[in-house]
Amino acid sequence: MKIAVVSDVHANLAALQAVLADIDAVAPGAAIWHTGDVVGYNAEPNEVVALLRERGATGVMGNHDAAVLGELEVKWFNPAAAAAVKWTATHLTPENATWLHALPKISEMGAATLVHASVLKPLEEYVIESASARENLLSLSTPVLFHGHTHVPAYWALRGNQAASVVIDGRAQPLLSPALINVGSVGQPRDGDVRASWVLWDRTDDGSAIGALGTVQWRRVAYDVARTQALVRAAGLPEFLAERLAEGH
Ligand code: ZN
């Protein structure tokens, strides 16, 4: 079984299309899961929701999705993010808003939990250091968690009683248990690499010595950044949101 996990697409259609093409190339027929923040920041929320719906993606709600729906106050957002939330709220079709509204905040899919930010605070917590990673690893009710929110790929596992950061090398790596797998961001990467990020979870039983959970592989995909920037500018969204795409932060 192969599963493609995407996160933080943020209304960036060109990035999502590039990622889906990569998924179709390396894992045709893979199930598609997402860990929220489908909309916000960029200018094609309806197109992105439509494409995820068309591809049968299942997933959870992010903080930007919640804010667009009026379920989270925009006072928690920086001014550029808040401006994009307000713009999106006025442009999202009622049908797509209904689809977003139906997303749960946490979802268990067999051996995996899907959540946007963290198990402890599904819409809020940035898991960026070992203390919060440890707390979340110990709170998991499934072997693995897939999440996003920070827009930075990360892999946390327990070593002894402590959370340790596993180096991501771009190859298929054994999936440990328990583990926190931050799949990075499709639509607004912030790790200095402008390419869209996604994770392939390969549970194919090939009889090899890899564990029962199979492997995870972070993949990076180039996309037409200039196209997304042009649409952000044409929509009148803050210039910073266009610029950051070219810098990967
Ligand atoms: Zn996000």
Side-chain angles (χ1 to χ4, degrees):
M1 180 174 63
K2 294 185 181 184
I3 295 157
V5 192
V6 300
S7 191
D8 298 272
V9 179
H10 282 300
N12 186 337
L13 181 66
L16 179 62
Q17 287 172 328
V19 163
L20 290 171
D22 194 45
I23 292 168
D24 292 341
V26 300
I32 296 170
W33 293 354
H34 73 86
T35 58
D37 275 6
V38 173
V39 301
Y41 289 132
N42 298 299
E44 293 180 286
N46 289 308
E47 294 81 355
V48 160
V49 171
L51 187 51
L52 287 174
R53 292 174 65 184
E54 181 191 315
R55 295 295 298 252
T58 63
V60 292
M61 188 185 291
N63 55 318
H64 286 252
D65 307 321
V68 164
L69 297 168
E71 296 183 19
L72 190 68
E73 291 188 64
V74 287
K75 71 179 183 185
W76 301 111
F77 289 72
N78 67 54
V85 163
K86 287 175 187 161
W87 182 92
T88 305
T90 62
H91 287 80
L92 196 65
T93 67
E95 187 187 354
N96 287 335
T98 299
W99 183 84
L100 281 180
H101 184 74
L103 296 173
K105 296 195 174 55
I106 191 159
S107 176
E108 288 191 11
M109 306 281 285
T113 299
L114 302 183
V115 74
H116 180 61
S118 81
V119 210
L120 297 173
K121 293 181 179 171
L123 292 182
E124 298 156 38
E125 187 179 19
Y126 290 90
V127 180
I128 50 175
E129 38 81 32
S130 71
S132 62
R134 180 178 179 276
E135 274 188 87
N136 279 283
L137 284 163
L138 296 176
S139 305
L140 275 181
S141 53
T142 60
V144 56
L145 175 80
F146 287 100
H147 66 148
H149 192 47
T150 63
H151 298 207
V152 175
Y155 184 174
W156 292 96
L158 280 183
R159 193 166 290 151
N161 192 32
Q162 297 301 316
S165 175
V166 180
V167 174
I168 295 167
D169 64 13
R171 291 178 292 195
Q173 302 175 254
L175 180 52
L176 305 170
S177 171
L180 309 180
I181 302 296
N182 189 317
V183 303
S185 172
V186 171
Q188 194 195 77
R190 293 180 193 161
D191 61 341
D193 184 339
V194 302
R195 297 173 299 168
S197 178
W198 69 279
V199 161
L200 175 61
W201 182 21
D202 189 348
R203 299 195 69 186
T204 307
D205 181 13
D206 62 358
S208 71
I210 59 172
L213 288 172
T215 60
V216 279
Q217 181 182 19
W218 279 259
R219 293 187 58 84
R220 301 305 286 251
V221 189
Y223 72 94
D224 189 347
V225 174
R227 179 186 181 279
T228 299
Q229 289 179 306
L231 289 166
V232 165
R233 289 172 176 135
L237 289 164
E239 172 62 19
F240 169 62
L241 298 180
E243 286 171 5
R244 68 186 307 175
L245 294 173
E247 290 158 19
H249 82 90

